[in-house]
Amino acid sequence: MITVSPSHFAAQMAWLAKAGYRTIGSEQLAAWFAGEPLPQKSVMITFDDGYLDNWVHAHPVLKAHGLSALCFLVTSWPGEGATRAHAGSGGALPPLLDHHAGEAAIENGSADSAILRWSEIDAMRAAGTFEFHSHTHSHVRWDKVTTSAQEKRERLAADLAESREVLQARLGGASDHLCWPQGYYDDDYLSAAQQAGFRHLYTCEVGPNYPRREAGAARSISRLEVRDRPVSWLASRLWVHTRPAISRAYLRIKR
Ligand SMILES: [Zn+2]
């Protein structure tokens, strides 16, 4: 449901570029929330988890079109080693696992076969195709595996702190943008994230985003889950969700 084939991704990105869309980064999004204007055709592209195919397929496509994306890393998953081949770089591409096989590989301690390496992350940053932000350190749903609210808050706080430390050490900085594992959050999660210094919280909720809410408070960011569908699907969804009244009516009917 939440993976896109390389051919559909390439077609979607080619369409965005041709239609005059420009991609924005985390700082531009934060400025827009604070009241700065953005061109009408602005879009943010996000990837969760840091899968290897972000390097093999998404990075060269974004580069070809002058687009950029955000990737939310589970900071305990990326490995060491040299960069692998990506599409168009020459050389044999590394084998890519499907989503379930990738999850199983991570579970079995072979994350390197499914997840980006730090060297690839550095190369993507240097090329300007990707920014990297936190998706926690462990991806564990602490609400499901702890027995008290107190324990849940402590484990999540430690998870967020560790993620920040890794990003700081590896990338030279950790931003205030955080993506919730599986889109889950509750009041304890929100306060833990705010205490850890996160202000921009990416959900799996669909719908319009609005600028100019309370200054300084954390804000939840809606996203459109892009399907493995042709350009016409993406174009129609962008049309709907960039018109707040139509987006709300569409979501009401869908529910
Ligand atoms: Zn995730």
Side-chain angles (χ1 to χ4, degrees):
M1 289 296 277
I2 50 166
T3 60
V4 178
S5 64
S7 60
H8 276 152
F9 181 74
Q12 291 169 353
M13 295 304 106
W15 176 78
L16 281 180
K18 193 158 175 250
Y21 280 91
R22 289 180 15 180
T23 44
I24 63 164
S26 57
E27 285 177 14
Q28 285 166 291
L29 183 73
W32 179 73
F33 276 126
E36 294 282 318
L38 268 182
Q40 176 80 25
K41 286 189 166 179
S42 297
V43 65
M44 174 179 272
I45 302 168
T46 66
F47 292 81
D48 292 7
D49 303 331
Y51 280 98
L52 172 57
D53 54 13
N54 295 184
W55 162 251
V56 173
H57 291 296
H59 159 73
V61 168
L62 292 171
K63 190 161 200 290
H65 294 294
L67 300 173
S68 64
L70 273 68
C71 178
F72 296 100
L73 285 177
V74 180
T75 50
S76 63
W77 288 353
E80 308 300 333
T83 59
R84 289 161 282 193
H86 64 65
S89 72
L93 299 182
L96 294 173
L97 307 176
D98 69 28
H99 193 65
H100 291 294
E103 285 179 328
I106 295 161
E107 192 81 7
N108 299 330
S110 340
D112 190 52
S113 61
I115 295 293
L116 296 168
R117 291 178 178 169
W118 289 108
S119 58
E120 292 154 355
I121 290 166
D122 290 341
M124 293 154 92
R125 294 181 76 208
T129 51
F130 275 88
E131 303 178 6
F132 292 88
H133 302 273
S134 177
H135 192 32
T136 75
H137 187 65
S138 71
H139 210 266
V140 170
R141 281 281 303 273
W142 296 110
D143 60 298
K144 286 188 171 174
V145 298
T146 51
T147 51
S148 70
Q150 169 81 3
E151 189 193 358
K152 176 178 72 171
R153 286 193 293 265
E154 285 171 6
R155 300 298 288 269
L156 179 63
D159 201 340
L160 295 174
E162 201 163 6
S163 180
R164 287 197 81 104
E165 277 167 31
V166 171
L167 291 174
Q168 186 72 47
R170 286 288 185 163
L171 309 181
S175 77
D176 63 0
H177 295 244
L178 170 71
C179 176
W180 300 119
Q182 300 176 351
Y184 177 82
Y185 63 98
D186 56 28
D187 286 346
D188 294 322
Y189 269 50
L190 288 169
S191 65
Q194 289 215 60
Q195 274 175 26
F198 292 103
R199 294 286 174 273
H200 299 86
L201 309 172
Y202 294 70
T203 71
C204 295
E205 290 148 26
V206 181
N209 293 297
Y210 300 96
R212 290 178 194 277
R213 279 192 230 149
E214 329 81 82
R219 53 183 96 243
S220 285
I221 296 166
S222 301
R223 297 187 291 173
L224 174 65
E225 290 181 352
V226 176
R227 307 293 184 201
D228 189 25
R229 302 285 295 275
V231 160
S232 55
W233 179 92
L234 179 62
S236 69
R237 292 311 186 279
L238 280 182
W239 192 92
V240 167
H241 295 298
T242 49
R243 291 164 173 80
I246 294 172
S247 171
R248 282 192 300 269
Y250 173 90
L251 293 169
R252 258 200 311 277
I253 293 162
K254 220 176 144 215
R255 278 190 206 109

